[in-house]
Amino acid sequence: MEHDPSPGPPPPHQGAGAPLTPIPWEDRQRLGFAPALLGTVKLFVSDPKDGFRRIQEQGDLASPILFAVLLGWAAVIIGQIWSFLIGSSFLFLPGLDGEAFTLLAGRGLMTFGILLLAPLFVVIGLFIGSGIFHLFLLLVGGTERSQAGFEGTLRVVAYSSVTQLAQILPIFGALFGTIWALVLFTIGLSILHRTSQGKALAAVLIPILLCCVCGSIAAVMGLGSLMMAFQSA
Amino acid sequence: MSQTNRQFGLLWGGVAASLVVVSPLGPYFANWLPRCQFKAILGLPCPGCGTTRSALALSHFDVSAALAANPLATLAWAGLIFGGLLAGVLALADRRVPELPSRLPVSWRWTITLALAANWVYLVIHGS
């Protein structure tokens, strides 16, 4: 018989008796689209624990998916602007005079394609990512007291899309956003599935360490090289 | 059938259908993916090595090549696509879509963990 010795966080929606107020995004019909979006972003940036306690545990799945698509799309746009600006500057190096316009046009066309397909890939990534985290949450026994099921994991991953805004920072934005996302995933999964933060962290870290070791090592190596370059400059 | 269950079925079905539709673009997108640094540094494949190649092979209906690239990833892709298409049809027909259990028996947890380990051993031996 398995027993989780850690008490875990209190169940959501059962605090002082009165139901918690929904997050602005899930109350956007009353608040309006833009204020609800900005209010939700502000909430998950400033107090993610409160945000995850207040999100719907069951019911409408369209709201979190729409939130993830909007922020994911915004991140792709920001990322493409950075990529275009940095990449285009290389096109005007000596020796590329005649080809610069052709390369620039090709790059612009590719950017347009990426922006067009981005929402689709955000939804695919959201679903597959949530599935992987949920599988490892099941494996570490993190769903024993959960009533939210897979949809709970999907909601956590969707609202954690707020970390995509880190793309505003050039070069280090992706790394910073990834670390921030790990923190939000851990907080959100522990609250929505009523499990310990240790199990939530394990469910998040194991697949990343197993399957994305490649990316982690590349990021650490890239960061190390940059630090060394700055020190030697 | 609950609203959430129907939305879950439609989402899974939509994801599966989208993957089928964009699969011809797979080789193009695969070029953007970074090379496996785990393999580059240690000379051994990571547990996820071959996932992209298995997807590309499946998009050409080459099941044996997909299984050779990464057996577990091939099963996962097949489950995602066929399960998703079925879930989408069930949701559209207002039928309940089967969901993941909220808890896994210990025997299942060990089975899945051993399958992941065995798959990695295969990749290392096969030299994927």
Side-chain angles (χ1 to χ4, degrees):
Chain A
M1 171 124 182
E2 292 197 12
H3 176 66
D4 181 12
S6 55
H13 309 277
Q14 291 177 16
L20 294 168
T21 50
I23 60 167
W25 185 245
E26 290 175 353
D27 197 17
R28 64 186 178 282
Q29 287 193 331
R30 190 175 65 82
L31 297 171
F33 189 87
L37 182 66
L38 293 174
T40 306
V41 168
K42 194 177 162 191
L43 175 65
F44 280 98
V45 170
S46 60
D47 192 354
K49 275 187 183 176
D50 186 41
F52 285 119
R53 281 199 189 103
R54 286 163 54 187
I55 62 174
Q56 276 185 26
E57 201 174 344
Q58 286 168 333
D60 177 36
L61 265 182
S63 288
I65 292 170
L66 183 61
F67 183 82
V69 166
L70 289 173
L71 290 207
W73 206 357
V76 171
I77 292 170
I78 295 165
Q80 285 303 306
I81 289 171
W82 280 123
S83 169
F84 193 80
L85 288 176
I86 295 168
S88 303
S89 60
F90 287 104
L91 294 176
F92 295 100
L93 289 171
L96 278 174
D97 297 342
E99 299 167 44
F101 182 76
T102 317
L103 289 170
L104 202 62
R107 196 171 175 82
L109 204 64
M110 194 173 76
T111 303
F112 180 72
I114 291 169
L115 294 180
L116 204 67
L117 288 172
L120 191 65
F121 284 107
V122 169
V123 176
I124 292 172
L126 176 70
F127 189 81
I128 294 177
S130 304
I132 292 170
F133 288 140
H134 196 72
L135 173 70
F136 281 90
L137 203 57
L138 284 167
L139 286 179
V140 299
T143 54
E144 304 282 323
R145 285 177 288 178
S146 170
Q147 289 180 1
F150 170 75
E151 289 87 355
T153 307
L154 190 84
R155 285 173 212 278
V156 169
V157 177
Y159 284 116
S160 298
S161 299
V162 76
T163 59
Q164 300 273 353
L165 293 177
Q167 295 282 348
I168 292 169
L169 303 169
I171 304 170
F172 294 106
L175 182 66
F176 175 68
T178 304
I179 296 167
W180 185 14
L182 295 182
V183 174
L184 289 200
F185 289 158
T186 305
I187 293 171
L189 291 176
S190 68
I191 291 174
L192 260 282
H193 291 298
R194 299 167 193 189
T195 188
S196 66
Q197 289 197 343
K199 284 185 177 178
L201 183 65
V204 170
L205 279 186
I206 292 170
I208 288 172
L209 289 176
L210 282 179
C211 301
C212 304
V213 166
C214 328
S216 314
I217 293 173
V220 170
M221 284 177 70
L223 198 64
S225 311
L226 271 172
M227 298 289 276
M228 284 170 71
F230 283 135
Q231 281 174 355
S232 61
Chain B
M1 185 177 64
S2 70
Q3 181 201 20
T4 314
N5 185 265
R6 186 164 198 271
Q7 287 181 338
F8 167 69
L10 291 175
L11 175 66
W12 191 2
V15 166
S18 303
L19 284 170
V20 171
V21 170
V22 298
S23 63
L25 297 172
Y28 178 69
F29 288 120
N31 286 332
W32 291 354
L33 295 175
R35 300 191 75 79
C36 178
Q37 295 300 310
F38 187 87
K39 191 176 179 184
I41 294 167
L42 301 176
L44 293 171
C46 79
C49 271
T51 304
T52 310
R53 274 175 285 135
S54 69
L56 293 176
L58 276 182
S59 71
H60 293 100
F61 303 104
D62 191 347
V63 179
S64 59
L67 285 168
N70 189 321
L72 212 53
T74 305
L75 292 177
W77 284 122
L80 178 68
I81 302 292
F82 292 114
L85 294 176
L86 181 65
V89 170
L90 287 172
L92 287 173
D94 275 337
R95 302 277 294 272
R96 182 166 175 76
V97 179
E99 291 185 47
L100 285 170
S102 63
R103 61 186 68 179
L104 277 182
V106 176
S107 58
W108 271 92
R109 290 189 211 167
W110 275 108
T111 306
I112 294 170
T113 307
L114 288 174
L116 287 167
N119 189 64
W120 195 7
V121 169
Y122 165 82
L123 294 177
V124 171
I125 294 170
H126 191 256
S128 277

